[in-house]
Amino acid sequence: MEFNIKQIDDWQKVVEEILPQLEHPILLLKGNLGAGKTTFTQFLLKNLGSEDEVNSPTYSIVNEYSTPKRKVYHFDLYRLKNVDEVFDIGIEEYLDNAFLCIIEWPEVYEEELYGLKYHTMSIHNNGESREIGFE
C-alpha cells in the first residue's frame, strides 16, 4: 500500500486503510527524523481505542499504552548502538506479551526478527508531503 499525505489530518485516512491490514503483532516504522512516525502512532493508538497520551519514546526507549485489545508497546531504538542493548531492555518479553509492538528506528534489531511476521511502514518526508509505504 502506498499513500501521499500533505497535512496532519491525512494521517487518519492512512490509519483507516492500514488498520484492517494489521495481521502481525510487530510494526516497524522507518523514516528520517521528523517524518511523522510518532504522529502516525498517535493516530493509530486513538483508533485502537487508547485514551493514553502518546509521546515519542526517544529518551524512555519504550512507552506502554493500554487498548481494549491489550497492551501496545512503542519503541524508539535510535539511541541504541547494538543488538545487545536492545536485548538489555527486554524486548523479547515485550514482543511476547503485546497486542502490538511499534518499533521506530528498527535497523539495529531487524536481523533478529528473522522468522517472525511483521509489517513495515516507511515514511519519507520530501518537504511538501510525506510518501508512505506499508507492507
Side-chain angles (χ1 to χ4, degrees):
M1 301 177 80
E2 294 185 6
F3 307 91
N4 189 301
I5 65 172
K6 296 186 179 194
Q7 54 191 5
I8 196 164
D9 292 339
D10 292 340
W11 282 113
Q12 180 61 34
K13 296 172 197 162
V14 172
V15 168
E16 288 171 1
E17 292 282 331
I18 287 175
L19 206 48
Q21 306 301 319
L22 275 178
E23 301 171 350
H24 310 305
I26 302 169
L27 173 59
L28 308 182
L29 295 182
K30 298 180 176 185
N32 54 345
L33 288 170
K37 297 178 295 292
T38 298
T39 301
F40 164 78
T41 302
Q42 291 169 335
F43 277 87
L44 179 64
L45 268 287
K46 181 180 177 189
N47 280 262
L48 287 172
S50 178
E51 295 181 9
D52 297 335
E53 183 178 339
V54 177
N55 296 304
S56 173
T58 299
Y59 296 103
S60 61
I61 300 177
V62 61
N63 290 340
E64 176 182 314
Y65 303 108
S66 297
T67 74
K69 295 185 184 262
R70 285 191 10 237
K71 297 286 184 191
V72 172
Y73 298 102
H74 180 199
F75 297 86
D76 184 330
L77 305 183
Y78 181 76
R79 296 181 2 192
L80 302 185
K81 296 175 184 67
N82 57 55
V83 73
D84 291 334
E85 289 184 344
V86 180
F87 285 122
D88 286 346
I89 66 169
I91 195 165
E92 291 174 311
E93 188 172 332
Y94 288 108
L95 295 175
D96 289 342
N97 294 299
F99 166 69
L100 180 63
C101 285
I102 302 165
I103 306 174
E104 295 186 26
W105 302 98
E107 292 78 5
V108 70
Y109 184 67
E110 201 164 4
E111 193 172 298
E112 303 301 318
L113 294 171
Y114 181 79
L116 297 177
K117 295 183 177 185
Y118 57 88
H119 296 282
T120 301
M121 174 183 269
S122 59
I123 306 168
H124 177 71
N125 181 356
N126 65 20
E128 294 187 19
S129 67
R130 286 171 171 78
E131 297 169 4
I132 301 158
F134 174 82
E135 52 185 83

